[in-house]
Amino acid sequence: MKQIIPVTVFCFSIILLSINGLPKTHDTCLVLYIFDGDTIQVQIDDAKETVRLIGIDAPEIKHENKSGQFFGEESLKYAKTLLQAKTIRLERDSLCADRDIYGRLLRYVYIGDILFNAKIIEDGYAYAYCTFPFEKKAKFLELEKEARRINRGLWAAVTEGINQKNQNQVNSQNSSITSTTDSSCKPEFVASKKSRVFHHRDCELVKSISQRNLLFFNSYEEATHSGRRPCKVCRGTKEGAIASKNATKTPK
C-alpha cells in the first residue's frame, strides 16, 4: 500500500503535465545587459542567462558587421529606459520551448505587474512576432494593430515617412540645385531637358525642375543656341529672377 501512493502521485503529475504543458516558472532576476528591444541578459542565482522575449520582434541595432534596421536605436533606448538594472520576473509559456536554437531562455518579462513584451508592442517599439505559437498571440496582434492605427512609436515614423517622402525628395532636389547654382563659378543659366525655355539660375521656377532633367549653360548665347527661349518670368536675367519669387507658373 505504501508503494502504491507514490506511484499514483507520480502518474497524476505526468497527466497534469500532458494536459497543461510545461510548468511555468516565475524567476525573479536582475537585468544585467540589454542587447536590443527583444533580447536581454539577466542574473539568475549564480548564472548569467540570455533571454529572448516571447512573441515580439524589435528592430535590429547596428553591429560591427551588420547594419541596423529602421527604429532600432529608438527601440533599444526604450528597452533600456524600462529594464536597465531592474529586478524583473520571468515567466514561461506552455506553448513554447524552454530555450531557442541559440540556447536563449524564452520568457515573458514582467516589471511588477506590467508585461514588458506586451507594452513594447503597445507603445510601438516592436512588432508582434507570430512565427511560432504562444499563448498571448491574439493579444499581441491586437496591440500591434492598435499601435499602428493610432501611429505610436515606429508606426508614427513610418506614416510620417510615407507622407513626406515626396516632399523630402523635392527638398533634396532643391538643395542640390541651390548648391550647384549659387556660386559665381557655376553655370549661370538653367533649363529642363523637357522644356524649350531657359532660366537664370536664381529664377524661382528652377526649383520645380527635377534634378535628373537639369541642363546648364555657361552663357546666354549658349542657352539660346540650344534652341531655347528665355523664361517669361525672369527673362533670362538676374533682375528678372528676383521678380520670379512671386511667380506661380512652372516651366513648360
Side-chain angles (χ1 to χ4, degrees):
M1 184 66 179
K2 292 181 180 180
Q3 294 179 348
I4 295 176
I5 295 176
V7 172
T8 303
V9 172
F10 176 76
C11 292
F12 183 68
S13 299
I14 294 298
I15 293 172
L16 286 178
L17 283 176
S18 64
I19 295 174
N20 298 321
L22 295 171
K24 294 183 178 180
T25 58
H26 300 275
D27 297 314
T28 299
C29 54
L30 178 68
V31 176
L32 299 177
Y33 187 78
I34 300 172
F35 296 99
D36 55 31
D38 58 38
T39 308
I40 63 176
Q41 185 185 62
V42 299
Q43 182 83 36
I44 302 178
D45 297 328
D46 296 328
K48 293 180 180 179
E49 292 277 6
T50 299
V51 179
R52 176 63 168 85
L53 278 64
I54 295 171
I56 72 171
D57 184 25
E60 298 288 339
I61 63 170
K62 184 178 180 180
H63 297 288
E64 184 176 348
N65 298 318
K66 188 175 182 180
S67 59
Q69 295 178 331
F70 169 72
F71 226 69
E73 292 298 328
E74 290 85 349
S75 178
L76 173 62
K77 183 178 179 180
Y78 176 89
K80 285 183 174 180
T81 299
L82 294 183
L83 297 177
Q84 188 68 60
K86 298 290 181 63
T87 298
I88 61 172
R89 178 166 54 88
L90 302 179
E91 181 179 301
R92 291 183 64 173
D93 187 299
S94 63
L95 300 181
C96 295
D98 183 47
R99 296 177 184 269
D100 65 9
I101 60 174
Y102 304 105
R104 301 175 297 187
L105 292 173
L106 296 173
R107 296 291 188 270
Y108 294 114
V109 170
Y110 284 87
I111 314 164
D113 295 329
I114 298 173
L115 176 56
F116 177 80
N117 307 50
K119 185 166 179 57
I120 193 172
I121 297 174
E122 181 180 14
D123 290 343
Y125 288 89
Y127 308 94
Y129 184 61
C130 300
T131 301
F132 303 101
F134 58 98
E135 294 174 356
K136 304 181 190 299
K137 179 177 180 179
K139 176 182 178 180
F140 284 13
L141 285 172
E142 189 61 32
L143 289 173
E144 180 184 295
K145 181 179 178 181
E146 180 64 9
R148 186 170 187 170
R149 185 185 70 82
I150 61 178
N151 291 330
R152 278 185 173 173
L154 65 88
W155 301 112
V158 168
T159 301
E160 182 179 354
I162 292 173
N163 291 340
Q164 293 189 354
K165 182 178 180 181
N166 292 334
Q167 184 60 48
N168 289 341
Q169 290 176 340
V170 170
N171 291 342
S172 176
Q173 291 168 1
N174 290 346
S175 176
S176 176
I177 293 170
T178 301
S179 64
T180 303
T181 61
D182 62 2
S183 171
S184 59
C185 65
K186 299 297 182 180
E188 191 171 5
F189 302 94
V190 183
S192 168
K193 294 177 182 178
K194 297 182 177 181
S195 172
R196 305 311 299 171
V197 174
F198 70 91
H199 312 264
H200 187 274
R201 67 186 181 201
D202 294 330
C203 179
E204 188 71 12
L205 301 186
V206 171
K207 294 181 180 180
S208 63
I209 302 175
S210 171
Q211 187 175 6
R212 65 177 179 272
N213 291 326
L214 281 174
L215 287 176
F216 299 98
F217 304 100
N218 293 315
S219 67
Y220 189 99
E221 290 73 20
E222 184 180 353
T224 56
H225 287 166
S226 72
R228 290 174 171 81
R229 60 176 174 79
C231 165
K232 290 183 178 180
V233 176
C234 71
R235 301 185 300 279
T237 65
K238 185 174 181 63
E239 294 74 17
I242 295 175
S244 74
K245 292 182 179 181
N246 296 321
T248 57
K249 293 175 61 178
T250 57
K252 297 181 180 180

